[in-house]
Every structure is written in C-alpha cells, then in structure tokens.
Amino acid sequence: MTFTTRRTRTLTLVAAALAWIAATVTAAACTSKPADDTAAPLVCTDLLAGDETTEVVVRFVNQTNADLYLGDNAPCDTSPSFRIYDAANHEVVYRYGNACGLSCADNATTCTCTMTTTCYPSYLRRIAPGGAYELYWSGARIVERTVPGSCVSCLGGQDPASCEAPEAPGDGPLTFTGTAWTAFDCMAPPCDCTPGPEGSCTTTGQGTITGTQLVGTGTFTPGSGTVDVVFQ
C-alpha cells in the first residue's frame, strides 16, 4: 500500500510539473509578438507623406574653349534639363509624371487641377569658356506608391490607388548628365548677352539650339549641396 501511494504521488507531481511548463510556454507564446508586429499600423498620413529633402544646385560648367548654349528644342519642350542615374545606372525620376504635378498627399485634398500650361519663349542661355550656369534639383526622386483608395479621395474611388511621392534618393553616389550645344539659330533678336560673374547669361531674344551636341557629366554624393556637370 505504501509503495502504491508513493508512486501515485510521484506521478502526480510529474504531471503537475509538465502542466506548469506547458502553461508557461503557452503564455509566453501568447504574450510575445514578432519584431515586425510591434510597430503601430501605418495610417494615410504615413503612406502619403514625402521625405524632407534639401535643394541641390546643379552647375553646368564649360571647360571648353568656346561658348556653349542651353535652350529648348521648341516651345513647350518638357524635356528634363539634366538626367540623374543611380549606382545601378537606373534613371532617377525627379519630376511628377501626372499632368498637374500632384503628389500622393495632394491627391488626398486637392481634387481640381489648378495648373495651366504656358509655353514660354525659347530663351537661350550662354555659358562662356570657364563659366557656369546654375540649375536646381529638389533633392528628391519621385516614386509611385500603391495606397488604399480611402487615402486619396481625389483619384476617383480607385482601390487600391496609384500616386506619386517624393523620396530621398538614398546614400549612394548619383551621376548627373546634361547636354549643351555649340551654336544656335536666332529667331527673335537680340540673341546675344554679356556673361555675368558666373560666366553665363540668358538672352532676351528667342532662339533654338543647333550645332554640335556635347554631353557633360558630374558625380553627386547625397548630402552635398552642389554638383558640377562638366563639359570638356
């Protein structure tokens, strides 16, 4: 009798210990969360927000022995003044592709296109030998996002909806390329100007670029305030 009682008591203690371990493991499993579940769910303002970036000065530098000219091939030419490529040689888009230039955040509140298309005259920019002409980049690339339709009420009820937002380009170096020409055709004089301290100027007359096309390049490290696109 004594033996049976001790054996029963021993088995009871073992069962209790196993039950306690199982309960502890279950409780731990129920109270712990994967690392990616600890953050609060994103809301519309997070999905639509663009990155804060700093404007960059893009200097077209003429290191040739003759004048170079920048200009439009025709009125209303929307070609980018320069192109940007990342380390993998993928082009960095820096202009909104939609007609109104609206971002994801804009599409949450602005349901009417307020932009009007104005075709400005084709003024010429002259860069003397050793001179530079300054252009500007916002410092952001434009990327397409897919967001819930409820976040962008101005996109006609699409769900999910596509929109564009500005983002910082990352940490790697970027390559800038630009084009300049060696001559021009004057359409409405005067098509000459006197270079200022930077060695460049913009004509008051209208003309189109001709002659030989040159390609300038420059390397930019994010965080810098200026990039020189050099023509040689």
Side-chain angles (χ1 to χ4, degrees), residues 90-113:
H90 297 141
E91 185 166 3
V92 176
V93 177
Y94 64 93
R95 293 184 177 186
Y96 289 107
N98 57 76
C100 287
L102 299 178
S103 67
C104 288
D106 293 330
N107 277 302
T109 57
T110 306
C111 298
T112 303
C113 181

Side-chain angles (χ1 to χ4, degrees), residues 92-98 138 140-144 164-167:
V92 176
V93 177
Y94 64 93
R95 293 184 177 186
Y96 289 107
N98 57 76
S138 69
R141 64 176 182 170
I142 304 302
V143 296
E144 186 170 297
E164 297 172 317
E167 287 187 358

Side-chain angles (χ1 to χ4, degrees), residues 72 74-78 116-123 206:
D72 302 323
C76 268
D77 183 6
T78 58
T116 57
T117 301
T118 301
C119 297
Y120 294 99
S122 302
Y123 295 118
Q206 302 171 37

